[in-house]
Amino acid sequence: MKTKELLADSFRSLVLTMPFQKISIKMITDGAHVIRPTFYNYFQDKYEVIEFLFDQDIGSKVEVMIENDMEQEAIKLMFICFEKNKEYYHRLFETTGQNCFGEFFSHYCEQTFFRILSRHPMREMPCELITPQSLAHYNALLLIEILKLWLSSPKEVPAEKIFEAYQYIIRTPILDMIQYPEP
């Protein structure tokens, strides 16, 4: 295994056993059985390790699918990939502060949705405030909240089922979800 992957695997193992804030570079290098300066040959800090692992787990795969006009499949794949490392990503979402995973992932989702919207012609919107940027932001927020709810739930819901729920929510106006009493 390459040193970069050893460092990343060490980091992932540490995230699963202790709070993110307590993880030091020395702990990561000790787990990878390399000396501390070796870490800086591959990463600037532990936040860069998060980005590297995310790209390996999810980002690079999603990119290929989007480039091949498989946007819906790309989003479904995102759920499936999160499921494979559910506890790891759940713990990352719990981390707060500058450069936290939630901030990184929010930016990633907005960029990804904006790229999807930019690749295809848009229908006319009922208001000039509804732009590709605002739609990308809205969709990123919804995706993130559903993922966080799912990852933190003690219930075992398969990725395919949560993806179906996501699709239902994204495609159904909220007032159509309500059962009004019969008059």
Side-chain angles (χ1 to χ4, degrees):
M1 193 182 264
K2 293 181 183 176
T3 305
K4 188 171 189 172
E5 283 82 17
L6 287 171
L7 290 163
D9 285 347
S10 174
F11 173 78
R12 189 188 310 262
S13 296
L14 289 165
V15 167
L16 292 171
T17 60
M18 65 178 36
F20 173 81
Q21 293 83 355
K22 295 192 185 236
I23 298 172
S24 68
I25 303 305
K26 180 168 178 9
M27 292 171 156
I28 297 168
T29 56
D30 285 352
H33 307 292
V34 297
I35 58 173
R36 192 172 188 273
T38 303
F39 178 88
Y40 297 102
N41 292 333
Y42 300 96
F43 303 105
Q44 290 182 343
D45 53 29
K46 59 187 181 179
Y47 298 101
E48 199 171 296
V49 180
I50 291 172
E51 292 178 25
F52 172 76
L53 282 169
F54 177 81
D55 189 59
Q56 269 195 327
D57 293 347
I58 301 169
S60 60
K61 296 169 185 145
V62 167
E63 282 300 311
V64 169
M65 294 185 95
I66 289 172
E67 290 302 316
N68 288 289
D69 295 324
M70 299 172 69
E71 292 89 354
Q72 186 167 324
E73 294 87 348
I75 295 169
K76 182 176 183 178
L77 178 67
M78 197 180 292
F79 281 93
I80 292 166
C81 292
F82 268 97
E83 185 175 43
K84 287 181 182 175
N85 291 293
K86 194 173 180 183
E87 185 60 26
Y88 168 74
Y89 285 108
H90 167 63
R91 288 176 180 256
L92 287 183
F93 269 122
E94 289 180 332
T95 305
T96 58
Q98 188 177 6
N99 299 327
C100 67
F101 177 73
E103 189 178 286
F104 159 77
F105 187 61
S106 176
H107 183 69
Y108 169 82
C109 286
E110 279 195 47
Q111 284 184 320
T112 301
F113 283 124
F114 184 75
R115 196 165 49 259
I116 290 169
L117 290 165
S118 299
R119 291 174 51 82
H120 304 283
M122 296 227 4
R123 294 184 177 142
E124 188 174 328
M125 293 292 121
C127 170
E128 63 273 1
L129 295 176
I130 308 298
T131 64
Q133 292 86 0
S134 66
L135 289 170
H137 180 74
Y138 166 78
N139 281 280
L141 290 174
L142 178 59
L143 178 66
I144 291 163
E145 289 307 313
I146 288 174
L147 279 169
K148 285 167 57 175
L149 177 67
W150 175 51
L151 294 172
S152 65
S153 174
K155 294 180 180 178
E156 290 298 320
V157 180
E160 289 83 3
K161 193 78 170 163
I162 200 71
F163 175 69
E164 287 174 20
Y166 166 76
Q167 284 186 305
Y168 175 78
I169 292 168
I170 204 97
R171 292 181 175 164
T172 309
I174 194 162
L175 296 178
D176 288 350
M177 294 181 194
I178 299 169
Q179 283 188 335
Y180 291 99
E182 296 291 323

